[in-house]
Amino acid sequence: MLTNQSNEYFNINIIDNGVAHLQLSCPEKANRLTLGFWKRFPEAIEQLSRSGEVRAMVISAQGNTFCGGLDLQIFASSKEANTANPNERESMQFSLLQMQEAINVLERARFPVIAAVQGACLGAGFDLIATCDFCFATENAKFRIEETNIGMMADLGILQRLQHLIPGGMARYLALTGDTLSAAQAHDLGLVVKVFPSTETLIEGALETARRIADRPPVAINGIKRAMIYSRDHGVYESLQQIALLQASIFSRQDILCSVQAKATGTKSEFQNLSEVGKAFDEP
């Protein structure tokens, strides 16, 4: 059974009915993402996903800033930031792919992930929330592709994903200028689904939505997430073929009858968790 966990980068609380809450926990450093984060974060998400116990997750942050982006000390101290020769450039490419994979795990997770953003969400923080299924924010939230402003190209996924989340012209404008997107603008564009007046109401709203999702059959919710991500990256007819195969593989008459009965009687449905997976690959 999953238990709460904590480290120097984030805390994870397992609340109820399969709802997990991950909080970035370095507010004194604006929750910037240090080298250690890129190892611990994917390990934690993959553990939650393999367990089958998590049905929905909220990602938020402590303090006034959601995430100040990548810790720039990485460029000063990491050998992977050196690019003086072919070997060093190959090493940098490998490291970047590992960092990309560290946040790609949110898309591959077997449960939906809700981003709850207060204050600034910059650089790598923007990459992080773009991999979530949807985003809530406070009125003072702001989003920025910060890499443009420090003389580099964003390389962890925001350039690839943002064009699917907001109109392409606006995505290119933000990427090329490094301008800031306010919470109101992000809401108008569809990047942010709901705007809240305070951090407290933001967290309450995100967790309440996570609980609503967690009350649905996990196998159907997982199927919806998989189908929509597949459709983003494939054509309509390919996606229709994929969902036909997926539906045939996960269709549950029992879950449907349980849902209909609960709706008719005003009671709460009880659904089986997803099965635990991956134990065969764990080290003894």
Side-chain angles (χ1 to χ4, degrees):
M1 179 176 292
L2 291 173
T3 58
N4 297 341
Q5 57 178 288
S6 179
N7 55 56
E8 60 185 296
Y9 314 108
F10 53 83
N11 304 320
I12 298 177
N13 293 317
I14 309 300
I15 300 176
D16 53 47
N17 194 33
V19 173
H21 184 193
L22 184 149
Q23 274 199 314
L24 304 179
S25 57
C26 299
E28 68 283 357
K29 297 180 180 178
N31 293 308
R32 293 185 181 89
L33 307 181
T34 60
L35 274 176
F37 170 88
W38 300 98
K39 181 177 187 296
R40 298 294 294 274
F41 183 79
E43 291 175 347
I45 301 302
E46 287 173 351
Q47 179 189 20
L48 297 178
S49 185
R50 289 196 307 267
S51 75
E53 296 177 32
V54 176
R55 300 184 177 194
M57 185 173 79
V58 172
I59 294 182
S60 69
Q62 298 176 5
N64 298 320
T65 299
F66 177 80
C67 181
L70 194 67
D71 182 2
L72 295 183
Q73 287 299 313
I74 291 177
F75 297 113
S77 60
S78 174
K79 64 180 182 179
E80 283 80 4
N82 298 328
T83 56
N85 59 60
N87 282 349
E88 290 179 345
R89 291 192 288 273
E90 189 278 336
S91 178
M92 181 181 185
Q93 181 185 48
F94 183 77
S95 296
L96 284 174
L97 291 171
Q98 285 187 305
M99 293 172 72
Q100 291 170 2
E101 283 300 301
I103 53 179
N104 289 346
V105 295
L106 293 175
E107 284 191 339
R108 291 197 299 269
R110 300 162 76 201
F111 47 80
V113 182
I114 304 168
V117 176
Q118 86 286 0
C121 178
L122 312 179
F126 205 170
D127 290 290
L128 183 70
I129 68 107
T131 62
C132 296
D133 291 278
F134 55 88
C135 178
F136 291 167
T138 55
E139 294 173 349
N140 72 339
K142 55 185 179 182
F143 305 82
R144 189 163 64 240
I145 300 176
E146 190 67 4
E147 291 87 345
T148 307
N149 297 323
I150 61 170
M152 64 176 289
M153 175 178 64
D155 52 20
L156 298 181
I158 192 65
L159 300 184
Q160 291 70 34
R161 292 187 171 97
L162 192 59
Q163 298 180 78
H164 296 283
L165 299 172
I166 64 175
M170 177 58 79
R172 288 187 288 274
Y173 170 80
L174 294 171
L176 294 167
T177 65
D179 275 3
T180 300
L181 193 67
S182 70
Q185 291 171 315
H187 182 261
D188 289 343
L189 291 168
L191 176 66
V192 168
V193 177
K194 291 185 179 181
V195 178
F196 295 82
S198 67
T199 300
E200 291 73 20
T201 55
L202 168 72
I203 301 302
E204 290 172 6
L207 289 175
E208 174 58 28
T209 301
R211 290 187 178 98
R212 288 175 57 198
I213 294 171
D215 283 341
R216 271 67 173 178
V219 69
I221 293 296
N222 173 253
I224 291 169
K225 174 171 180 171
R226 289 171 61 188
M228 296 189 77
I229 290 175
Y230 185 93
S231 180
R232 179 196 64 189
D233 300 329
H234 296 79
V236 172
Y237 290 103
E238 287 178 290
S239 300
L240 287 171
Q241 184 177 44
Q242 183 260 358
I243 201 170
L245 293 170
L246 181 60
Q247 181 74 296
S249 70
I250 68 171
F251 186 84
S252 171
R253 188 188 304 271
Q254 181 179 355
D255 282 352
I256 294 172
L257 293 174
C258 185
S259 296
V260 171
Q261 183 179 15
K263 187 174 182 179
T265 59
T267 58
K268 184 178 179 180
S269 303
E270 297 292 337
F271 300 106
Q272 185 176 358
N273 283 338
L274 297 176
S275 298
E276 184 178 12
V277 297
K279 293 293 288 185
F281 301 100
D282 290 343
E283 294 182 3

